[in-house]
Amino acid sequence: MSVRNLEVLFHPRSIALIGASKQPRSVGAVLAHNLLSAGFDGPVMPVNPHEVAIAGVLTYASIEALPLVPDLAVVATPPASLPRIVAELGARGTRAVVVITAGFGELGEQGRRLQQAMLDAAKPHTLRLVGPNCLGIMVPGHGLNASFAQAQALPGDLAFVSQSGAVLTSVLDWATARRIGFSHMSRSAAWRMSTSATCSTIWRPTVTPERFSSTSRP
């Protein structure tokens, strides 16, 4: 199993948010808030052709218009746009993409074809893909909250990965109330690495709050 681009996925130097929004309570708005308020020490570049700025940050009309190549892109746009967006990001030199968007393999054959088209678009660029249909990722020690979770994880030494977004958010709420922190948190419907003809799914352990106790605080 390749670990190519895992470092840039979890420790990017620059981030683009494709599908950033001002609409209250929308996924694009929550993602923008989380990315901009987590303390990330690098440029966060919202992409939205219909807005001048979001949360006081200048937006860009397209991926092509970005002033620099984002290490990581977070995408929350309609499913049909994903193959094109992934191809554009790969061509610009982006090395990791978190796909928040749902509406792929879970919706049947048409969705599976669309998901495969997205993977095929990533393959020539060896892009690391997280998603689709995922909550996102959090690396509190790096100031990275590329998720639409309502709570911000505290920094700590425990990494937590769950196949279930409901489990992840439940653990996050449970841990935050007890001041328990995490080095990494991720919910992923599929972790995929497009480096060869076969795109492999990475092992995804699921952990429940009962596995922890309040004595495990960092």
Side-chain angles (χ1 to χ4, degrees), residues 5 8 13 70-72 89 93-97 126-129:
N5 291 336
V8 77
R13 294 166 299 178
D71 281 344
L72 171 67
L89 288 166
T94 300
R95 293 187 286 164
V97 180
T126 64
L127 270 174
R128 173 73 67 175
L129 296 181

Side-chain angles (χ1 to χ4, degrees), residues 48-115:
N48 184 320
H50 308 295
E51 301 288 353
V52 174
I54 292 175
V57 177
L58 183 69
T59 62
Y60 299 91
S62 64
I63 294 166
E64 184 181 11
L66 292 172
L68 53 85
V69 176
D71 281 344
L72 171 67
V74 183
V75 184
T77 60
S81 67
L82 262 295
R84 173 185 57 81
I85 287 173
V86 167
E88 289 182 13
L89 288 166
R92 280 225 58 181
T94 300
R95 293 187 286 164
V97 180
V98 176
V99 180
I100 305 294
T101 307
F104 290 88
E106 72 274 13
L107 294 185
E109 183 58 33
Q110 182 177 356
R112 285 191 289 272
R113 287 197 298 268
L114 187 58
Q115 180 166 308

